[in-house]
Amino acid sequence: MSTLTTPHRPSGAAPHRPYRPSGLTWTVLRLHRTALYVWGAALLAAVAALIWLLAAGPDARAIVGGCDASEPFPIDCGTAHWTTTARIHASGLALVSACVTFQIYAVAVWAGAALTGRELESGTARLAWTQSVTPARWLATRLAVPAVLLTAGTTLAVLLLNWTRRAGRGDLSGGWFTMNVFISSGPVAVGYALAGLALGALAGLVLRRALPAAAAALAAAYVLHEVLDGFRMSLWPAETVTGRAALQLPHGTLVLEHGAVTGAGERLSNNMACVGTDSAAALERCVERTGLTDFWTTYQPESHFWPLQLVESGLLLAVTGLAAAAAFALLRRQHS
């Protein structure tokens, strides 16, 4: 008679199990893996598009189709070449820039609906709190994990965007002061993503339901985005010049206000008389004809790009910190 036996295991030894990731970080990644896949796919698509634009560069016309130089209108042919190249680069850069600029809305909606709102509505969060996970630690992990991923991914996209703009004709996508270019060219892009995350998480904790939290987070992100866009050029002191310098500003300058002074000393705002005169004689003739005595322009030069970026980034980080602090305070009050 034979019997089945099991291998001898030392007393007190734990059974061998294959390694599996565990912990709160892994739980967050597993619960929100769909959002992670979508974010990863979007980032890969943006990186691939920017690398293609960077590599294609001046040869884009050869990719989209050549133009026979023997055609009877070679000048028009060259124009078609340039137009095609410009359109490819402008459209590609504008598309990726817009995705980076407006990602705050997607992040805020997801954070409000799925990251906190749905888990509170379904009871998943309360279940976690009964398994030796404090509410504060639960929230900290849900904010930290996506914050790291958003910071890394957005930074990569911004660096590639700037590289692509410098390698080609960056002005095709707009001046440095246009909303999409400004936000997608510096740390402001990361600030918007983190602000959307914090605002969404706070909305989820306040409303504790997925759909209302998503709507509230979207509204908060919209208000923040529009307010900062409206006051952006007021975040750093502008420069004012008078005389002929007010009529011939450096390339890349954003004119905020331009005016003239009459012979009676009256200041006329938004008066574009004599703008663009190319010589002292032409300016003198224009002054005699219009009866003006002086000109002035208030503007933001391109050199103010980084001061404006840093100030706006600081405001966004302040909003992020306040929203996160409010979320923790609300959670502590609810479970004290």
Side-chain angles (χ1 to χ4, degrees):
M1 180 177 180
S2 63
T3 60
L4 294 175
T5 60
T6 58
H8 176 71
R9 183 183 297 118
S11 176
H16 173 71
R17 295 175 181 172
Y19 172 76
R20 293 181 181 178
S22 60
L24 282 177
T25 300
W26 173 251
T27 301
V28 173
L29 294 174
R30 182 167 55 83
L31 285 175
H32 302 284
R33 57 185 177 275
T34 301
L36 178 62
Y37 294 155
V38 172
W39 163 248
L43 181 61
L44 287 176
V47 169
L50 289 173
I51 291 177
W52 183 86
L53 287 172
L54 183 65
D59 298 327
R61 56 180 172 268
I63 296 176
V64 299
C67 181
D68 190 357
S70 63
E71 291 183 358
F73 303 103
I75 296 179
D76 292 343
C77 177
T79 303
H81 272 171
W82 168 246
T83 302
T84 300
T85 303
R87 186 181 297 113
I88 290 173
H89 279 267
S91 300
L93 288 172
L95 178 61
V96 179
S97 298
C99 291
V100 173
T101 298
F102 295 107
Q103 70 170 327
I104 179 178
Y105 297 112
V107 172
V109 169
W110 170 77
L115 189 64
T116 54
R118 186 178 65 186
E119 292 197 27
L120 291 169
E121 184 177 12
S122 63
T124 306
R126 189 168 296 278
L127 177 62
W129 300 338
T130 63
Q131 298 178 350
S132 302
V133 177
T134 63
R137 187 183 171 200
W138 171 86
L139 179 58
T141 305
R142 272 150 181 76
L143 288 176
V145 174
V148 170
L149 295 175
L150 285 170
T151 299
T154 304
T155 300
L156 175 61
V158 167
L159 292 176
L160 279 174
L161 270 168
N162 288 333
W163 189 14
T164 305
R165 288 192 185 104
R166 286 195 300 269
R169 286 182 55 88
D171 58 321
L172 291 176
S173 58
W176 65 271
F177 45 80
T178 59
M179 181 178 65
N180 285 8
V181 175
F182 183 86
I183 293 179
S184 64
S185 297
V188 165
V190 178
Y192 273 109
L194 296 180
L197 175 66
L199 291 172
L202 177 60
L205 286 170
V206 171
L207 299 175
R208 304 176 72 86
R209 295 175 59 194
L211 290 180
L218 181 63
Y222 175 78
V223 170
L224 176 65
H225 205 270
E226 291 300 308
V227 168
L228 287 180
D229 184 50
F231 288 94
R232 176 168 296 125
M233 293 304 158
S234 301
L235 298 178
W236 192 259
E239 296 186 3
T240 299
V241 292
T242 59
R244 186 173 181 180
L247 305 175
Q248 298 176 340
L249 297 173
H251 177 72
T253 295
L254 172 62
V255 176
L256 301 177
E257 193 173 12
H258 177 82
V261 181
T262 66
E266 181 184 1
R267 292 173 64 89
L268 304 176
S269 298
N270 299 321
N271 186 297
M272 305 302 291
C274 303
V275 171
T277 50
D278 54 0
S279 67
L283 176 60
E284 185 177 350
R285 288 194 300 270
C286 180
V287 168
E288 292 177 354
R289 184 176 66 253
T290 57
L292 302 175
T293 60
D294 200 4
F295 304 92
W296 53 272
T297 300
T298 301
Y299 68 99
Q300 287 285 9
E302 192 171 359
S303 60
H304 286 183
F305 172 81
W306 279 111
L308 288 166
Q309 278 275 335
L310 295 177
V311 173
E312 188 168 347
S313 298
L315 291 175
L316 288 167
L317 291 180
V319 170
T320 302
L322 290 174
F328 278 103
L330 178 62
L331 192 63
R332 189 182 307 112
R333 188 179 67 180
Q334 291 175 344
H335 298 277
S336 58

